[in-house]
Amino acid sequence: GAASSTGDGGAASSTGYGGAASSTGDGGAASSTGYGGAASSTGYGGAASSTGKHAVAMACGYEGRAMAGETGAIVLAHRNDDGVLVHIRASKVGENGIKAGAWYQLNVDGQFVECAA
């Protein structure tokens, strides 16, 4: 299944096998809990979480954040104040200091930093 949200502050969630959730509005949230699922957030300050086995969470908007489960991965972008893409980085949980269930952003140097939900 698939779920999408396009309005500011909207939320999308997917719970099925291989499901996808996508949020494009500012401050939006996308969540995926199914096996092999994906969650993506592209709006300003958006959040993506993917807690299913082998699932991926991606946040590529300004000040976006992402979180994944034990066997998952995250993809994050860092943009400058003009919205220009400066860094993009991906990691599996258990590598590069990424912990399951923790939220991350990319800093100005392109490094993963733990952040608040």
Side-chain angles (χ1 to χ4, degrees):
S4 64
S5 169
T6 57
D8 291 350
S13 64
S14 173
T15 58
Y17 179 94
S22 174
S23 174
T24 59
D26 292 349
S31 174
S32 172
T33 59
Y35 184 99
S40 65
S41 176
T42 60
Y44 177 99
S49 67
S50 202
T51 56
K53 288 187 180 238
H54 311 295
V56 177
M58 179 191 75
C60 59
Y62 183 81
E63 295 188 2
R65 58 196 185 283
M67 183 266 290
E70 285 183 23
T71 58
I74 60 173
V75 179
L76 287 164
H78 178 80
R79 296 178 180 275
N80 67 19
D81 291 339
D82 294 324
V84 175
L85 181 64
V86 178
H87 301 287
I88 187 161
R89 190 167 178 203
S91 182
K92 291 172 26 180
V93 170
E95 298 176 3
N96 302 302
I98 303 301
K99 301 180 283 189
W103 287 92
Y104 292 91
Q105 290 181 309
L106 280 189
N107 67 15
V108 69
D109 297 319
Q111 300 300 311
F112 293 113
V113 290
E114 199 166 338
C115 64

